[in-house]
Amino acid sequence: MQGSATLRGVVRNGAGGALLLVLLAGGMLVLGAWYTECSRFLPHCLLHEATGLHCSGCGAQRAVHALLQGDVRAALGYNALLVLVLPFLLYAGVRSAGEGWFGWTLPRLPIRAKVVWACLALILLFTVARNVPVDPFQRLAP
Amino acid sequence: MDTWYYLHDGRQVGPIPLSELIKLAENGVIQPWTQVWSPGMESWRSAGEVEGIFPVPLGPPAPVRPENVPGSGTPGAEPPPDAPPRTLPAMGATVSYSHVDTHLTKAILATLLCCMPLGIVAIIKAAQAKTKLEDGQIEEARRLSRDADNWGNWSIILGLAGSVIYLVVMLVGGGLD
């Protein structure tokens, strides 16, 4: 019964979902990194397909792909915001998974409510800005 | 090791020495169900369970939220409704006031990698939960944090479903162009 209890713990910690996502995305990106013919089979942003607008996530896949190939400049060009928050996301993911699975007690990121609201504002501003077809802003588009 | 923290109205107070904590317990500021923590402890515990704060260690207090403790036995003295929940996650080596997980990581991950509109809702819920938490409204924070969790999950599920549908269309149709 140890196993099922652990599994419940993993699901409750929410780390399972996040890890699944990371694994899936990672798998696709690894495919993309080695087989460029496959890249047209990588899922496109449905919002972009439907409306032609760039959402905050557009270019994220290509940005991670570029990062995996060590091209930070290209990654910044695809999705600068993702590159910016990726270290924090990675740390939070490792902390959460480590706590849920191995009982690590890494310190939490001391994020106050103000910071969360600022993040929200930043994401919305970023989304609007990258859809403005004027030079300083359109560089944020993928 | 003589450094202690306690939760008062959802806020973390401290560091204070044990002698101060005992004084507060005598004055009734700290109750047996008040959550306390000291570096070296794995997680927050009820003051009544920690030896040395109250003259006689009291047994574990009755759970405030029975659904957190499956199959809980007969409860003892009922703590008042404003008592903080008994089961708190481990705080880690560094003290942090955020003992209600707001699932912010998932929300941002969902927004930047998956289905943006639902992810934005998740971030809003997470921000509200944090705000409530800092105001000391723990129950409200917990409710909003569950919302953030759900919106984040749905965002990810929708994003993955969209990807799978796209992949199937590409494989079967040989491309959209």
Side-chain angles (χ1 to χ4, degrees):
Chain A
M1 290 305 102
Q2 180 76 37
S4 74
T6 313
L7 193 67
R8 265 205 306 280
V10 167
V11 171
R12 200 169 37 232
N13 283 332
L19 195 89
L20 182 76
L21 180 81
V22 169
L23 283 179
L24 277 171
M28 287 189 288
L29 286 161
V30 166
L31 266 180
W34 271 286
Y35 303 106
T36 40
E37 297 97 304
C38 270
S39 61
R40 62 198 291 264
F41 290 105
L42 288 176
H44 290 203
C45 177
L46 292 180
L47 203 76
H48 179 65
E49 297 280 299
T51 65
L53 290 171
H54 294 301
C55 71
S56 58
C58 285
Q61 228 168 48
R62 280 166 282 171
V64 178
H65 184 171
L67 279 182
L68 286 177
Q69 298 190 325
D71 195 345
V72 179
R73 182 183 280 269
L76 282 168
Y78 285 130
N79 193 323
L81 190 61
L82 181 80
V83 178
L84 208 70
V85 298
L86 206 58
F88 299 101
L89 288 180
L90 281 177
Y91 178 80
V94 167
R95 194 209 66 80
S96 163
E99 186 181 84
W101 297 340
F102 310 115
W104 297 348
T105 49
L106 295 170
R108 282 170 181 274
L109 293 172
I111 292 178
R112 305 204 61 121
K114 272 180 202 158
V115 179
V116 186
W117 288 113
C119 275
L120 179 68
L122 187 68
I123 289 173
L124 292 177
L125 274 177
F126 177 71
T127 310
V128 173
R130 68 199 320 219
N131 282 296
V132 177
V134 181
D135 192 38
F137 299 119
Q138 68 184 2
R139 288 183 200 180
L140 292 171
Chain B
M1 269 298 288
D2 197 23
T3 309
W4 290 80
Y5 300 84
Y6 68 96
L7 289 184
H8 186 70
D9 284 341
R11 283 175 192 278
Q12 179 188 299
V13 186
I16 56 167
L18 181 63
S19 56
E20 194 69 26
L21 207 65
I22 294 171
K23 237 177 255 169
L24 289 168
E26 283 168 4
N27 297 341
V29 175
I30 288 178
Q31 297 287 341
W33 53 83
T34 303
Q35 297 293 308
V36 297
W37 183 78
S38 174
M41 275 167 68
E42 224 166 69
S43 62
W44 290 75
R45 289 179 67 191
S46 304
E49 288 179 76
V50 180
E51 221 171 313
I53 298 175
F54 286 92
V56 179
L58 308 161
V64 178
R65 294 157 48 79
E67 67 268 27
N68 273 357
V69 189
S72 56
T74 48
E78 202 65 46
D82 62 336
R86 215 187 123 233
T87 44
L88 294 173
M91 296 293 280
T94 295
V95 183
S96 159
Y97 58 87
S98 61
H99 51 278
V100 175
D101 192 352
T102 52
H103 306 285
L104 182 65
T105 315
K106 193 192 288 178
I108 290 183
L109 207 66
T111 309
L112 290 186
L113 288 182
C114 283
C115 176
M116 182 208 172
L118 299 187
I120 288 285
V121 180
I123 296 180
I124 293 173
K125 294 285 180 189
Q128 287 175 330
K130 265 290 197 242
T131 307
K132 292 287 178 195
L133 185 64
E134 288 177 12
D135 287 347
Q137 300 172 27
I138 291 182
E139 277 311 304
E140 192 68 2
R142 276 175 180 269
R143 190 182 63 75
L144 286 161
S145 128
R146 273 194 298 274
D147 286 353
D149 193 17
N150 286 334
W151 281 102
N153 284 339
W154 279 113
S155 178
I156 287 171
I157 289 167
L158 220 74
L160 286 179
S163 301
V164 169
I165 290 168
Y166 186 87
L167 210 65
V168 168
V169 168
M170 287 299 277
L171 289 173
V172 173
L176 291 170
D177 39 357

